Amino acid sequence: MSAQNQQKTCLVTIGATASFAALVEAVLDPTFLSGLEANNYTHLLIQYGQDGQQLFDASLQRSLQSNTPSSLQISGFPIDTSGLKSHLLLAKGHANPSATPGVVISHAGSGTILDCLRISVPLIVVPNSELLDNHQVELAEALAEQEYVVHGRLEDLTGALGEVEQIRERIEGKKWPPVNSGVHREARGLKGVLNEEMGWLD
Ligand SMILES: *[C@@H]1O[C@H](CO)[C@@H](O)[C@H](O)[C@H]1NC(C)=O
């Protein structure tokens, strides 16, 4: 089977507690869909939140009506009460033998971030600027600095996709929690940021 036929999934998750309409809209923008295809993605799966169905449907309609043909398979769901694990594994490419590693794009909730770090699936963290929560930006920056995640910005998610491909092997090779050899100091720093974030579990 050629690389082009292999399933490659981008999972987007906005978390259960807050809505993040701008992220749902951004990942259904025709420009971003083209970016996914350029990076050989075949599937886009969006967890859009309890109140997100209308927004998802409307954004998807808009995209399909644009002139950019897309062969991506796009689907969505509000929340999964059994958790995100199976979806994360799908993005990691572990769900079936013909899959190739993909990516997770997430709001900056520490629960989702930790789940992704634990299974070493490449993660683009997109802080929700509307929440005015500096901790989210701090967390994204601290983790991105050490190449655990890519810090994504709504205006340039396609650029973040490219960045993932550049550091994919390094992300996939990282262990969480960090072993306390050379990265002891870093680990403490990360732990500090994560501890502050813990009230933010989704
Ligand atoms: C996409 O597939 C083409 C053809 O198989 C390959 O040359 C290219 O490196 C792939 N790009 C990525 C980002 O995987």
Side-chain angles (χ1 to χ4, degrees):
M1 187 181 272
S2 86
Q4 267 150 335
N5 293 329
Q6 286 192 341
Q7 178 171 336
K8 185 174 179 182
T9 299
C10 172
L11 170 70
V12 179
T13 172
I14 67 156
T17 50
S19 70
F20 196 173
L23 181 57
V24 174
E25 284 168 343
V27 296
L28 285 169
D29 189 275
T31 314
F32 180 70
L33 299 185
S34 305
L36 282 175
E37 286 187 277
N39 284 283
N40 300 338
Y41 284 86
T42 57
H43 290 68
L44 172 60
L45 177 60
I46 303 177
Q47 182 267 318
Y48 49 70
Q50 212 123 41
D51 307 319
Q53 172 110 44
Q54 267 192 332
L55 174 72
F56 172 79
D57 289 345
S59 306
L60 183 56
Q61 268 314 313
R62 250 199 321 276
S63 238
L64 296 179
Q65 281 160 5
S66 77
N67 290 326
T68 326
S70 172
S71 61
L72 279 172
Q73 294 191 35
I74 304 173
S75 51
F77 61 97
I79 53 173
D80 188 336
T81 49
S82 60
L84 273 183
K85 183 101 190 272
S86 62
H87 306 288
L88 295 177
L89 289 174
L90 196 66
K92 189 176 165 63
H94 275 196
N96 76 61
S98 71
T100 185
V103 73
V104 177
I105 300 180
S106 174
H107 73 123
S110 52
T112 310
I113 292 177
L114 282 173
D115 284 346
C116 290
L117 293 177
R118 284 192 193 107
I119 68 168
S120 301
V121 60
L123 171 66
I124 297 172
V125 175
V126 187
N128 185 350
S129 52
E130 279 172 26
L131 294 180
L132 301 175
D133 181 349
N134 272 338
H135 285 170
Q136 288 209 350
V137 178
E138 273 170 36
L139 179 63
E141 282 173 354
L143 291 169
E145 208 167 286
Q146 286 155 45
E147 297 189 327
Y148 280 100
V149 308
V150 167
H151 180 186
R153 291 160 188 84
L154 283 175
E155 317 80 66
D156 187 22
L157 288 178
T158 304
L161 278 184
E163 217 178 304
V164 164
E165 296 307 334
Q166 280 166 24
I167 64 170
R168 174 181 289 285
E169 280 172 22
R170 294 209 286 280
I171 293 180
E172 287 169 354
K174 289 233 172 176
K175 292 279 172 281
W176 186 269
V179 278
N180 57 5
S181 54
V183 291
H184 198 55
R185 231 159 38 98
E186 298 173 13
R188 248 203 335 255
L190 283 183
K191 227 167 138 192
V193 184
L194 281 167
N195 281 344
E196 283 182 48
E197 273 286 310
M198 273 325 196
W200 240 89
L201 278 177
D202 32 312

